[in-house]
Amino acid sequence: MMATPTIKAPNPWQGKYVRIVNKVSGFGLLAGSHGTNPGDRKMWQYPLSETSPNAKGFEWTLMPTFDGSYLIINRVSGFGLLAGSYGAGGDRNVWQYPVTELNGNNPDAFKWSVEAQDGAFRIVNMASGFALLAGSYGSNGDRLVWQYPTSEVGSNEEAFLWVLQETGDRFKVPELRPGEDGGAKALDVPRLTSMKDVPLSQSES
């Protein structure tokens, strides 16, 4: 199943950093170790008040791709949100990885459609067709984050919905260099410096 992007250019988040906050839990999408450890590829949702060791670990950029989807890049780590097993095999995990680390896998696993719904957004992976989901459907203080088929509505369908909160910080495109604008540096992380660095879609490669 392939997701179809519903929001296309102009990019409403062009040149902006956003926090991606679950509508049910109120927790923000967070890079492992708040983005400060290049070896930590995990993804979480945490209360926005838990800022140590780097509050900007909650901040993301949405870089448009040529097919209308987005790369979702962490401000600190410079890693992209990635579907588990590169979108194959029904894997429901999500990770953060350098977008150049494909190893022959489907690059569409780094791409997400951002679909407006009920004042928030459903974030759907272009390879798996699964949507970003708060652990335990946003209840019980669960800090895990997954990707699930949207048909599995569980205890609260709105746990698939995320609010994009603009931070007020801006950057220039294509001068964007995620992860290198303050806080901890991860110098060995491959960087996106322009849209020319965006991986091709499976149909283009």
Side-chain angles (χ1 to χ4, degrees), residues 45-116:
Q45 54 155 354
Y46 264 50
L48 294 172
S49 58
E50 297 190 17
T51 58
S52 180
N54 193 328
K56 293 178 181 178
F58 284 108
E59 299 182 14
W60 303 83
T61 65
L62 276 67
M63 293 189 69
T65 70
F66 298 108
D67 57 17
S69 61
Y70 295 89
L71 302 178
I72 301 177
I73 308 294
N74 187 260
R75 181 172 183 175
V76 180
S77 69
F79 291 175
L81 186 66
L82 174 67
S85 299
Y86 289 85
D91 188 335
R92 300 190 177 196
N93 289 289
V94 290
W95 306 94
Q96 55 155 351
Y97 267 62
V99 297
T100 54
E101 196 168 306
L102 291 172
N103 298 317
N105 292 294
N106 186 356
D108 289 351
F110 281 107
K111 298 182 180 183
W112 302 80
S113 68
V114 181
E115 306 170 358

Side-chain angles (χ1 to χ4, degrees), residues 15-38:
K16 300 175 182 178
Y17 292 106
V18 298
R19 286 180 287 268
I20 302 174
V21 180
N22 188 260
K23 190 172 181 180
V24 178
S25 68
F27 292 174
L29 188 68
L30 177 66
S33 301
H34 286 70
T36 63
N37 177 1

